[in-house]
Structures are given as C-alpha cells and as structure tokens.
C-alpha cells in the first residue's frame, strides 16, 4: 500500500498600519517584523471588483488524483521505444486552516503490487507569486507502449511489461503573475478565492530540474529483438550505458486566463514555455520544454467542486540518445468551507 502526503500552502492576506510621527511627517522607525508584514501584504493585495477573497478560516475536501507518465526514447539510427507505467489512482481527504493545507491519500491502483512509485508535491500560491516543488521516482512497473524501427516499422511488443527502466525527477518552478490584482491563480488551482470577472495575466518565471533515467539495454534487446529478427529488420540498438543524468536551469514565459462563463463557474488555462540550459552551458544544450495547467471550478464561497490538469514536458537530446518525457496529475475534488472570518460574519 502506497501512501502519499501532500502539503499545499498559499499566502494569507495580512494587515498592518503605517504611523506618522508629529507634524513634521518623519516616518517612525518600525521593527523588522512589522516591515516584513507590510511586504507580505503586497502579495495578497487584490482588486475586489475582479476577485472575491476567501470568507472562511477552514476547509475540508475529498480529492482523487490520477497520475500519468510517458517516456519516448530514440537512438541515432532513429529507432524508438515508448515506455509508461499504468496510471496511478489515489484518493484521500484534505483539511485546511487559512494558509495551511494537509492531505493524506492512498494509491488504490497499487494496493498489493509492491510498486516503488514515490510522488511528492509542495505548492505555495499567492495572487502575485507561485512556487511548485516536486519529486517523482518510478519503479520497475513500466510497459512498452510502442516500438518502431528506423524505417517506422512497428514491432509487435505493445503493452508488454518491461522492468528494465527507472526514472526520477526533482526540482521547482517559481513564477511571477504580472496582473495579480485582477487575475487570481488561487481561484483556479486551490479554490481559496473566487474570480468574479474574466481576466488574464502574463507569467514569467525560473525553474530547476534534475533528471535521472536508467535503461537496461540488454533486457530490452532480449525482449524486442526476437521480433526484429522475425520481421527481418535491424535489431534495436541503444547505447550499452544508457544511463542519463542531467540538470536543467530554465527561464520561462507564458500566459494564463480565467474565464468566468457563468455565475460561480470558472474555466482556467495556463501555458508556459521554458527555455532550458543544461549545467554544462552551450548552445547545443539548449532546449524548449513546457508546463500546462487547466482547470474547471464551481465555487459559491461555501461549497466548491472541480477538476484540474497539470502537465510537464521535458526533452533531452544528444547525438546517440534522446528522450522526450511527459508527466502530469489530473485532480477531481469536492470541498466545503466553514468557520467564517470575522469580517464576513454579517454578510
């Protein structure tokens, strides 16, 4: 049984006041903490004509998370293998208090399989800044979804189990939302506010990811090349030491839009293009990758329900070996807010 703990944090709005001294209007020296509070307050300042703030202190939610993953491997001859595990299906309760949100889920798709999947996510959201931290490690439960020769001839090994591939990825994405007073990222992806009027915003950001891929080429050859011999085509020939370790440092830009198409309803889409450079800097090591976020939410401030999809794509390319990878989470949730904040108790 695999159990996964998620922690989602978003900035709560805070208030502070500035004081002026005497008639000469010289600012009073304030302690560092008070100055820090005022800086944090700017991260939550919004235009309430466009965004409805959170009315409650607490929330409870039930969420289903479905995880997908796929790797496309190619060699210099143009031969191709596509590998992916069975989707992971998790379900569990979440409870939140203001900026702290905790959840505990069970992987119901691998209860007795002994799967080595590890998947951790930590996100911070404010209207102005967002941070995604992630760590994902997969075990030996992959299947060959597609195999092709250099002449695009399909090799009949579809959906055959293959235990000779492992992968891991860890890193973070940090992004800044330019139109943060009118556009609410939290409204689409953690239901802590409500978008009242449709709005969009450009996004800019930076990111860091570290990848590790290991392919057992001997086991792959035994499994696939008996079919290439029957078909009379060249055997699959990946490098003997097919282990890839690479680090990407990325600068990203994109756009996000929240469409309020009916009362209490929101459809959201966000795409970012990452220009990534490997640690050993050169123009030949520059790649373009992407992140896409899509959401559909119904939220009347008390009850909320919806679905969100987050996809990451990465590319690594060398003369002898290249890989394209994609992984993502599709969430379906329903939740209830309670414990009204003092300023909303009479509404």
């Amino acid at each position: 049984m695999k159990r996964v703990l998620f922690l989602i944090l978003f900035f709560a709005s805070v208030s502070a006041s500035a004081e002026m001294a005497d008639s000469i209007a010289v600012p009073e020296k304030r302690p560092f903490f008070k100055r820090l509070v005022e800086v944090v307050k700017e991260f939550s300042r919004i235009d309430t004509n466009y965004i409805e703030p959170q009315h409650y202190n607490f929330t409870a939610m039930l969420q289903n998370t479905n995880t997908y993953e796929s790797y496309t491997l190619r060699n210099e001859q143009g031969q191709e293998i596509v590998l992916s595990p069975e989707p992971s299906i998790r379900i569990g309760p979440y409870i939140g208090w203001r900026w702290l949100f905790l959840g505990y889920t069970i992987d119901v798709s691998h209860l007795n399989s002994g799967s080595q999947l590890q998947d951790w996510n930590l996100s911070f959201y404010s209207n102005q800044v967002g941070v995604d931290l992630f760590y994902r490690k997969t075990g030996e439960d992959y299947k060959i979804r597609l195999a092709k020769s250099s002449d695009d001839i399909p090799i009949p090994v579809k959906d055959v189990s293959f235990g000779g591939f492992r992968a891991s990825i860890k890193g973070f994405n940090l992004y800044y939302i330019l139109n943060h007073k009118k556009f609410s990222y939290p409204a689409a992806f953690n239901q802590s506010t409500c978008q009242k009027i449709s709005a969009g915003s450009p996004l800019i950001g930076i990111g860091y990811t570290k990848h590790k891929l290991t392919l057992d080429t001997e086991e792959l050859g035994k499994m696939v090349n008996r079919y290439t011999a029957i078909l009379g085509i060249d055997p699959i020939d990946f490098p003997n030491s097919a282990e890839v370790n690479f680090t990407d440092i990325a600068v990203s830009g994109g756009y996000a839009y929240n469409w309020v198409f009916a009362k209490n309803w929101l459809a959201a889409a966000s795409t970012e293009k990452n220009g990534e450079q490997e640690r050993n800097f050169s123009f030949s090591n520059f790649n373009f990758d992407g992140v896409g976020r899509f959401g559909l939410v119904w939220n009347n401030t008390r009850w909320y329900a919806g679905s969100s999809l987050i996809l990451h794509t990465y590319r690594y390319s060398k003369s002898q070996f290249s890989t394209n990878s994609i992984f993502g989470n599709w969430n379906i949730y329903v939740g209830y807010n309670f414990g009204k904040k003092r300023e909303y108790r009479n509404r």
Side-chain angles (χ1 to χ4, degrees):
M1 179 183 297
K2 291 294 176 183
R3 299 176 176 175
V4 184
L5 174 65
F6 288 88
L7 177 62
I8 302 176
L9 302 173
F10 57 88
F11 291 105
S13 60
V14 296
S15 62
S17 61
E19 298 179 359
M20 305 297 292
D22 301 325
S23 58
I24 60 174
V26 177
E28 179 185 354
K29 290 185 177 180
R30 291 164 293 175
F32 171 78
F33 178 75
K34 287 188 176 181
R35 296 198 303 271
L36 180 62
V37 165
E38 291 195 3
V39 172
V40 173
K41 183 174 69 173
E42 288 299 318
F43 285 90
S44 299
R45 194 181 300 278
I46 59 175
D47 184 340
T48 54
N49 292 315
Y50 282 80
I51 302 170
E52 184 68 26
Q54 174 65 282
H55 291 190
Y56 299 87
N57 288 310
F58 302 96
T59 187
M61 183 180 75
L62 182 67
Q63 179 168 292
N64 161 234
T65 298
N66 307 277
T67 302
Y68 300 89
E69 180 182 6
S70 177
Y71 289 87
T72 300
L73 312 177
R74 297 183 184 89
N75 60 19
E76 59 182 338
Q77 291 81 31
Q79 298 169 330
E80 182 177 302
I81 298 287
V82 179
L83 298 163
S84 68
E86 292 295 333
S88 173
I89 302 172
R90 302 191 299 272
I91 190 169
Y94 290 73
I95 188 73
W97 173 75
R98 294 198 175 188
W99 54 270
L100 181 63
F101 205 67
L102 295 168
Y104 184 78
T105 62
I106 298 174
D107 187 347
V108 297
S109 59
H110 298 94
L111 289 176
N112 300 307
S113 66
S115 172
Q116 300 178 27
L117 172 65
Q118 299 178 40
D119 191 1
W120 300 83
N121 294 275
L122 171 64
S123 296
F124 300 88
Y125 291 108
S126 75
N127 276 31
Q128 195 170 13
V129 174
V131 181
D132 296 324
L133 305 173
F134 49 87
Y135 172 77
R136 181 171 175 79
K137 182 178 180 181
T138 54
E140 301 176 344
D141 55 348
Y142 283 84
K143 291 185 177 181
I144 300 175
R145 304 300 180 177
L146 177 68
K148 292 195 303 183
S149 72
S150 55
D151 298 322
D152 285 337
I153 298 174
I155 302 170
V157 288
K158 184 177 180 181
D159 295 333
V160 174
S161 296
F162 177 65
F165 183 75
R166 293 191 178 112
S168 68
I169 180 172
K170 57 186 176 182
F172 72 87
N173 292 315
L174 170 66
Y175 47 90
Y176 179 80
I177 302 159
L178 278 72
N179 189 24
H180 51 85
K181 292 184 179 180
K182 295 182 179 181
F183 169 82
S184 175
Y185 228 34
F189 297 106
N190 69 1
Q191 306 82 50
S192 59
T193 60
C194 295
Q195 187 82 44
K196 297 161 67 175
I197 300 175
S198 299
S201 176
L203 309 173
I204 56 175
I206 59 174
Y208 168 91
T209 55
K210 184 174 181 60
H211 307 252
K212 181 177 181 180
L213 310 176
T214 303
L215 175 66
D216 187 333
T217 55
E218 182 177 355
E219 183 179 346
L220 179 66
K222 290 178 181 178
M223 180 174 295
V224 175
N225 289 334
R226 64 175 179 268
Y227 295 101
T228 61
I230 294 172
L231 294 172
I233 58 178
D234 292 336
I236 294 292
D237 183 23
F238 279 90
N240 291 330
S241 58
E243 179 174 312
V244 178
N245 292 275
F246 63 100
T247 300
D248 287 333
I249 300 172
V251 176
S252 65
Y255 192 81
Y257 190 78
N258 285 347
W259 175 34
V260 182
F261 60 90
K263 184 179 180 180
N264 299 329
W265 282 94
L266 169 66
S270 166
T271 59
E272 300 166 49
K273 197 70 172 178
N274 304 327
E276 296 199 342
Q277 179 68 254
E278 291 177 43
R279 179 176 291 176
N280 50 331
F281 295 96
S282 72
F283 285 107
S284 62
N285 291 333
F286 189 85
N287 292 304
F288 283 103
D289 299 321
V291 180
R293 298 177 177 88
F294 309 91
L296 179 66
V297 184
W298 176 85
N299 190 341
N300 69 357
T301 73
R302 169 72 80 170
W303 289 91
Y304 58 89
S307 178
S308 64
L309 175 66
I310 302 176
L311 295 173
H312 301 258
T313 64
Y314 299 95
R315 175 174 173 78
Y316 171 85
S317 181
K318 295 294 182 183
S319 59
Q320 291 185 317
F321 181 79
S322 67
T323 176
N324 291 333
S325 60
I326 180 171
F327 73 89
N329 292 323
W330 175 35
N331 302 313
I332 303 171
Y333 54 84
V334 59
Y336 177 74
N337 294 314
F338 58 98
K340 263 195 175 183
K341 294 180 178 179
R342 182 179 301 174
E343 61 266 35
Y344 296 107
R345 288 175 185 171
N346 296 325
R347 295 190 181 184

